[in-house]
Amino acid sequence: MSYLDPRAGQSSGESYASPAFENPAWHADDKAPSDQPKRGPGKRRAGRGRAPEGKSRAGRNLPAAIAVGLSLGLVVLASLLVWSPALLGVLVLAAGVGVWETARAMNVIGARPPVIPLIAGTVVMTGLAWYAGPDALALGLLATIGAATLWRLADGVAAVRRDFTPITLIAVYVPFLLSFAAMLVQPDDGKWRVLATVVGVVLSDTGGYAAGVFLGKHPMAPRISPKKSWEGFAGSITASAIGSGALLFFLMDVPVYYGLLFGAVISIVAVMGDLAESMLKRDLGVKDMSNLLPGHGGLMDRLDSILFAVPTAYLLFAIIAPN
């Protein structure tokens, strides 16, 4: 998730897309590829300054992005409001896809984290978090890392040395963090806690996107994510704080000042999660984790903010709305 500023942080020209993840789409801050000869003085190109067809000024394919985003949101909403145990399946599926995408992306740098034990560990961790709580989740994390390491040991000690760090990163970054949602939903008002967290992240992304496009001038982290601006960051915090303040007050009777604090903190960690994934993708040399979701990239490109927000929300609710 990102808020985009077509004017801030011009690209340095370095390419971070590898052949394995080649994507013809270009960023809003990059020069549009063209095989047309340069025109002489006095000749103007029709439609100059317009975004490519189907894309917003920020370079995102908005129709596809909105359709996919609404579909994902409806799946989560249905699992919460219709039959909450279905959320367990949604979490397992999302974490499993995220593990697969991240492991596949790491193949670009020669790492070979074993997908089978990592996905099996994902199921175990999510189930332990759902039925037994945080202590069991920590044990599940250790068991997952151990099982994946033993799996890789079959290829020799050199393979373990090469892949132990990627194994640990994937196990912690995807299923461990996302499993906090399984604990967040357990209280009687758990569905509202999960909904408030997701809505806070969505408002952060939406507010930041709008503020970044229309007001963004000052790049926030040009070497990590050239399109982010400080104006977009302010828009993220403002939208998430106001929306969360109202939502928590009406749904859970949480004082407005706690709701404002909740939304602001969720927005900050959501942006941190977005930046963390951007750093990872730049280190790996890929543009998107996959092309699974039209207009979005991979599922991890949607989960990046959620992964940091869910454990933060779990801790915040323990303070502002204890059982």
Side-chain angles (χ1 to χ4, degrees):
M1 299 182 179
S2 62
Y3 39 84
L4 307 176
D5 172 19
R7 294 166 289 179
Q10 294 298 314
S11 172
S12 61
E14 63 184 23
S15 173
Y16 52 93
S18 68
F21 294 87
E22 206 167 34
N23 191 322
W26 47 276
H27 291 287
D29 56 321
D30 295 332
K31 292 183 178 180
S34 175
D35 52 6
Q36 296 288 339
K38 291 185 177 180
R39 298 176 182 267
K43 296 182 178 181
R44 295 185 178 181
R45 184 176 300 175
R48 184 179 178 181
R50 295 180 182 176
E53 185 176 355
K55 291 192 176 183
S56 69
R57 290 172 54 194
R60 182 186 294 187
N61 188 332
L62 279 183
I66 291 173
V68 171
L70 287 176
S71 300
L72 294 175
L74 288 175
V75 169
V76 174
L77 191 62
S79 67
L80 284 173
L81 302 181
V82 178
W83 190 52
S84 59
L87 181 64
L88 178 60
V90 173
L91 293 175
V92 169
L93 180 60
V97 173
V99 165
W100 171 77
E101 286 185 343
T102 309
R104 177 174 175 264
M106 288 187 176
N107 292 342
V108 174
I109 60 173
R112 296 292 183 269
V115 174
I116 293 176
L118 285 171
I119 291 182
T122 293
V123 177
V124 170
M125 273 192 276
T126 310
L128 288 175
W130 185 277
Y131 292 108
D135 293 339
L137 172 60
L139 291 176
L141 172 63
L142 294 177
T144 300
I145 295 173
T149 302
L150 287 175
W151 184 288
R152 184 51 70 223
L153 185 60
D155 294 330
V157 177
V160 173
R161 287 199 301 263
R162 181 194 66 204
D163 295 333
F164 181 76
T165 299
I167 286 171
T168 304
L169 173 63
I170 292 173
V172 173
Y173 182 45
V174 187
F176 178 75
L177 293 181
L178 193 59
S179 291
F180 276 86
M183 297 185 290
L184 190 61
V185 77
Q186 294 306 313
D188 294 337
D189 59 355
K191 61 183 179 181
W192 303 128
R193 297 181 182 220
V194 175
L195 181 63
T197 304
V198 174
V199 169
V201 173
V202 171
L203 288 173
S204 174
D205 185 39
T206 305
Y209 179 84
V213 167
F214 294 107
L215 303 175
K217 294 181 180 179
H218 302 90
M220 182 180 179
R223 294 188 62 84
I224 299 174
S225 186
K227 302 173 191 176
K228 285 184 174 55
S229 65
W230 285 108
E231 291 81 4
F233 183 48
S236 289
I237 294 177
T238 301
S240 183
I242 294 174
S244 297
L247 189 66
L248 291 180
F249 177 76
F250 288 109
L251 291 182
M252 299 175 59
D253 200 27
V254 171
V256 172
Y257 53 86
Y258 274 150
L260 292 173
L261 176 64
F262 176 88
V265 174
I266 289 298
S267 177
I268 291 171
V269 297
V271 172
M272 290 173 58
D274 190 8
L275 290 174
E277 200 218 12
S278 295
M279 290 177 63
L280 178 61
K281 289 192 293 186
R282 281 190 175 269
D283 286 343
L284 295 177
V286 299
K287 177 185 175 184
D288 295 316
M289 285 298 188
S290 75
N291 57 359
L292 189 64
L293 302 178
H296 290 272
L299 183 62
M300 280 298 295
D301 299 301
R302 294 293 87 198
L303 288 178
D304 51 6
S305 302
I306 293 287
L307 291 175
F308 278 38
V310 169
T312 302
Y314 179 79
L315 296 175
L316 288 173
F317 276 122
I319 298 171
I320 67 176
N323 295 332

